[in-house]
Amino acid sequence: METDPAPSLSDTVYARLTELLGTEAFPEGARLPGENELARRFAVSRPVLRQALARLRAEGRLESRKGSGTYVRQVALPALPPIGFGPLGNIPDVRAFLEFRCGVESAMAAEAARRDDAAALRHLARARDALAAETHAGRPSIEADIAFHQAVAEASGNRFFVAVMAALAEQTRFSIRLTRELSDTPDAERFATIRREHGRIAEAILAGDAEAAGAAMAEHLRGGILRLFGG
């Protein structure tokens, strides 16, 4: 008999925050504590926390104010319904998923470059640096990888990009693990590729070059398809 998969850490943090929003702990209109404090409170890493916060922002429960922080919105405001894509069931499903991401995230990266939101770009730069640090240390870096792509979504300023990326976190996690398990590339070379490809995406977005940002994202995701399926 099949059992439901255990919730991810970001799902757990999301559920706990959802319970607290609108209560005395985090009343409507209140400013949330900083990421470091929240991460300590929930005993998770900042990338995991950011996934939960991004999902709540996409649902309209939280609001980021430039230069000020993240605030609890009115609970009565309509929220986007949760998106469910279901697990990846087979290898063709994985390929279709990566091709879908290529189209969506290329447009997302281009929009992030066009929007040029200073606060969001600083967050993106931190996500890039965190991913680079994880790979330099030889750690798996899966959560940092997901957090980087979520930061690109947030930089686009489009809540639908944010919602889709938050909903795809588990599928993204699975596809990254699968690609790495099937890869015969040495770890050092693979980590260098991760840094280089994500670095190019961030560089183009930070430079405000929409065409280069979209192309860099497409190259990164198509590279994943090639690494997993070959030519």
Side-chain angles (χ1 to χ4, degrees), residues 10-54:
S10 63
D11 289 335
T12 301
V13 175
Y14 165 82
R16 292 173 66 187
L17 279 169
T18 299
E19 293 174 355
L20 293 171
L21 296 183
T23 69
E24 290 184 2
F26 299 128
E28 294 179 13
R31 182 180 182 275
L32 287 186
E35 287 185 358
N36 287 334
E37 182 178 340
L38 283 175
R40 285 195 298 269
R41 180 178 301 191
F42 294 114
V44 296
S45 66
R46 288 175 66 188
V48 168
L49 172 69
R50 286 169 182 163
Q51 290 173 42
L53 293 177

Side-chain angles (χ1 to χ4, degrees), residues 179-200:
T179 301
R180 295 182 183 184
E181 287 171 2
L182 297 180
S183 175
D184 56 3
T185 304
D187 284 349
E189 181 179 341
R190 178 163 48 82
F191 284 141
T193 299
I194 291 171
R195 288 192 297 274
R196 181 173 62 253
E197 292 182 355
H198 288 84
R200 286 174 179 167

Side-chain angles (χ1 to χ4, degrees), residues 54-55 57-58 150 153-154 156 158-167:
R55 185 173 170 185
R57 280 191 288 267
Q150 192 69 47
E154 293 177 22
S156 75
N158 187 316
R159 69 189 183 112
F160 295 98
F161 280 139
V162 175
V164 167
M165 293 308 298

Side-chain angles (χ1 to χ4, degrees), residues 200-220:
R200 286 174 179 167
I201 296 166
E203 181 180 356
I205 293 174
L206 294 170
D209 190 332
E211 183 177 354
M217 182 65 82
E219 181 183 1
H220 165 57

Side-chain angles (χ1 to χ4, degrees), residues 97-108 161 218 221-222:
F97 169 68
L98 292 172
E99 290 171 346
F100 171 75
R101 281 187 63 195
C102 188
V104 170
E105 294 195 52
S106 296
M108 184 176 79
F161 280 139
L221 292 170
R222 288 190 188 118

